[in-house]
Amino acid sequence: ETVLTQSPGTLSLSPGERATLSCRASQSVSTNYLAWYQQKPGQAPRLLLYGTSTRATGIPDRFSGSGSGTDFTLTISRLEPEDFAVYYCQQYGGSPLYIFGQGTKLEIK
Amino acid sequence: QVQLQESGPGLVKPSETLSLTCAVSGYSITTNWWSWVRQPPGKGLEWIGEIYHSGRANYNPSLKSRVTLSADKSKNQFSLNLTSVTAADTAVYFCVRNGYYSGDPWGQGTLVTVSS
């Protein structure tokens, strides 16, 4: 079973700064099969990126994704106040079919 | 605009069956696969399983013995049954439309508490 490990667990930054979130898989993942979500308190997760780097509908271009193999990154170029949330990576294709990382909490410094 | 809405009891007794339904509006369930995902309070996300309108389903092996998913094309909805629940099944349950190896959109979620 593939395990997704996200780091750091908590990231403390200020608005305007650049955020870099990591997702490491225990086995190689196709770039087609890696997605990122944002979840705010009391809300459902929202799809940000799929296929590693394709932004979902309505997602601002300050969100970008990269990576291959076992290492993937979500980058937020300039943090806006509404970006402070928990972020999850997700892989398709293993067992179970969909696996989530444990999440990174992005908090205001 | 596609919308998903979960419904079902918010409280289930231990050993009983948790039953939830996801009503889909603005989109036909015959077009995609549909998933259930749960999130225990303060914890991460766990995929439960996915269903196609034909009835074909895939399940998380860790829950497979207790989960049944079904779909009703006539009502444009799909459902989750989870048997023999314990306190560990207390969670917010989300229904999700499967897209490109990902889920979008998600329902707002419904909290199900397992307690006597």
Side-chain angles (χ1 to χ4, degrees), chain B residues 61-110:
Chain B
S62 69
L63 297 168
K64 187 174 183 178
S65 63
R66 298 194 293 129
V67 173
T68 302
L69 302 186
S70 59
D72 186 335
K73 289 179 287 188
S74 67
K75 295 182 179 178
N76 212 45
Q77 64 186 33
F78 58 103
S79 300
L80 162 70
N81 274 5
L82 180 66
T83 62
S84 305
V85 298
T86 69
D89 295 309
T90 294
V92 176
Y93 287 76
F94 298 99
C95 55
V96 191
R97 181 182 66 176
N98 290 10
Y100 187 83
Y101 307 114
S102 56
D104 179 50
W106 296 51
Q108 66 183 24
T110 187

Side-chain angles (χ1 to χ4, degrees), chain A residues 32-33 35 37 39 43-45 47 50-51 56 88 90 92 95-98 100-102, chain B residues 35 37 39 43-47 50 58 60-61 94 98 100-104 106-108:
Chain A
N32 291 325
Y33 296 163
Y37 300 85
Q39 187 178 32
Q43 297 185 17
L47 178 66
Y50 59 92
Y88 293 94
Q90 170 245 297
Y92 169 86
S95 179
L97 266 181
Y98 293 90
F100 294 91
Q102 84 279 15
Chain B
S35 281
V37 176
Q39 184 173 39
K43 297 188 177 180
L45 301 165
E46 179 182 35
W47 178 75
E50 64 177 2
N58 296 301
N60 188 324
F94 298 99
N98 290 10
Y100 187 83
Y101 307 114
S102 56
D104 179 50
W106 296 51
Q108 66 183 24

Side-chain angles (χ1 to χ4, degrees), chain A:
Chain A
E1 176 181 325
T2 299
V3 176
L4 297 180
T5 302
Q6 294 187 239
S7 62
T10 301
L11 183 58
S12 300
L13 293 171
S14 300
E17 290 192 296
R18 180 184 186 92
T20 303
L21 287 67
S22 173
C23 176
R24 176 163 291 178
S26 58
Q27 302 175 45
S28 184
V29 177
S30 166
T31 56
N32 291 325
Y33 296 163
L34 199 287
W36 290 91
Y37 300 85
Q38 176 193 68
Q39 187 178 32
K40 296 180 180 180
Q43 297 185 17
R46 176 175 70 148
L47 178 66
L48 295 176
L49 302 169
Y50 59 92
T52 297
S53 60
T54 302
R55 281 185 295 276
T57 303
I59 302 303
D61 61 7
R62 65 179 181 273
F63 291 90
S64 63
S66 62
S68 64
T70 60
D71 292 307
F72 296 87
T73 300
L74 169 67
T75 301
I76 310 172
S77 59
R78 288 177 310 279
L79 285 167
E80 298 288 342
E82 62 267 28
D83 297 337
F84 292 91
V86 178
Y87 292 83
Y88 293 94
C89 59
Q90 170 245 297
Q91 178 221 339
Y92 169 86
S95 179
L97 266 181
Y98 293 90
I99 298 170
F100 294 91
Q102 84 279 15
T104 289
K105 181 179 182 181
L106 178 56
E107 65 176 24
I108 298 177
K109 186 175 182 180

